[in-house]
């Protein structure tokens, strides 16, 4: 994806939709207690204990490897794409390709990281996340038959949009923009009841619409992924 910028992070904490700032990861390196931290030659083992002997690799730091977006991640490579993303270097709000897979019979699916708030600085409240998930999942399918899933991130900073095929980024951004615009004029949260939802009381149409409006207001920034 195209887009680089020198700095600036959009922070929105109005209306209770975006939660307050939380502790940031220090820019000088990983936090103490992380698996990459070194204390006197010991490293944190998988059991949570500081083990002195876990092999020769513990004595030397991992070799830095380029991330697809151009950042450097020093931790060992993990199976999940987002775990290999240096969250300190991204600049929300943005939309980026997170993964793409070709299935055994040749079908292609593409996953997009739709990031609403700056990681480790702000996050969305759960009721707004829940309602935006319902609204986007329903309204996006009115615009495209290629929508497979729209799922919230556990960190509450954004969503993963999974589409069939290898769509052009401009088309994906148009789908997101159109769907969020539809959400701003919706009159109810779809399936927000105990019959159709596992937590039917945990919804807020106003909160979801506020999140959608904030993201739309930053439309020109969606293609800028890194600081």
């Amino acid at each position: 994806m195209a887009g680089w910028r020198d700095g600036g992070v959009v922070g929105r904490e109005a209306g209770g939709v975006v939660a307050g700032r939380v502790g940031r990861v220090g820019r000088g390196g990983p936090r103490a207690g992380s698996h990459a931290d070194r204390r006197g030659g010991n490293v944190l083992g998988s059991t949570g204990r500081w083990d002195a002997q876990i092999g020769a690799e513990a004595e030397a730091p991992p070799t830095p490897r380029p991330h697809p977006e151009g950042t450097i991640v020093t931790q060992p490579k993990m199976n999940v794409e987002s775990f290999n993303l240096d969250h300190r270097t991204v600049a929300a709000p943005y939309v980026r390709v997170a993964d793409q897979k070709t299935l055994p019979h040749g079908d292609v699916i593409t996953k997009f990281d739709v990031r609403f708030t700056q990681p480790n600085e702000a996050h969305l409240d759960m009721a707004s996340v829940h309602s935006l998930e319902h609204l986007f999942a329903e309204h996006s399918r009115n615009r495209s038959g290629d929508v497979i899933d729209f799922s919230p991130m556990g960190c509450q900073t954004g969503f993963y949009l999974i589409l069939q095929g290898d769509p052009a980024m401009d088309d994906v951004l148009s789908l997101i923009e159109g769907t969020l615009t539809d959400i701003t004029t919706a009159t109810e949260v779809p399936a927000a009841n105990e019959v159709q939802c596992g937590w039917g009381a945990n919804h807020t149409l106003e909160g979801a619409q506020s999140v959608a409006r904030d993201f739309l207001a930053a439309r020109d920034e969606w293609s800028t992924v890194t600081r």
Side-chain angles (χ1 to χ4, degrees), residues 41-194:
N42 298 339
V43 300
L44 182 61
S46 60
T47 61
R49 294 178 292 104
W50 289 99
D51 299 324
Q53 301 295 329
I54 65 167
E57 292 183 359
E59 299 303 323
T63 302
R65 54 191 173 74
H67 183 271
E69 293 293 345
T71 62
I72 298 296
V73 178
T74 57
Q75 289 81 4
K77 185 175 182 180
M78 303 189 76
N79 293 322
V80 179
E81 189 275 345
S82 64
F83 293 169
N84 296 313
L85 174 68
D86 189 338
H87 287 67
R88 299 167 299 177
T89 66
V90 298
Y94 65 77
V95 180
R96 72 179 182 93
V97 175
D99 198 7
Q100 188 174 85
K101 293 188 181 299
T102 300
L103 304 182
H105 293 287
D107 297 308
V108 175
I109 58 173
T110 307
K111 181 171 76 171
F112 297 87
D113 172 352
V114 186
R115 193 75 60 152
F116 280 71
T117 65
Q118 186 65 23
N120 298 299
E121 294 187 8
H123 61 274
L124 305 176
D125 74 273
M126 195 59 232
S128 297
V129 169
H130 191 187
S131 295
L132 190 61
E133 176 200 11
H134 277 228
L135 285 156
F136 197 101
E138 181 66 19
H139 287 278
S140 62
R141 287 172 168 86
N142 292 333
R143 290 180 167 271
S144 173
D146 294 332
V147 176
I148 296 175
D149 192 32
F150 185 73
S151 302
M153 299 176 183
C155 59
Q156 298 172 224
T157 65
F159 297 80
Y160 286 116
L161 172 63
I162 302 178
L163 299 176
Q164 176 180 319
D166 182 17
M169 181 57 73
D170 285 346
D171 293 337
V172 176
L173 298 182
S174 293
L175 172 61
I176 294 171
E177 181 177 15
T179 301
L180 292 178
T181 300
D182 292 342
I183 288 173
T184 63
T185 60
T187 58
E188 63 178 1
V189 177
N193 57 73
E194 63 182 13

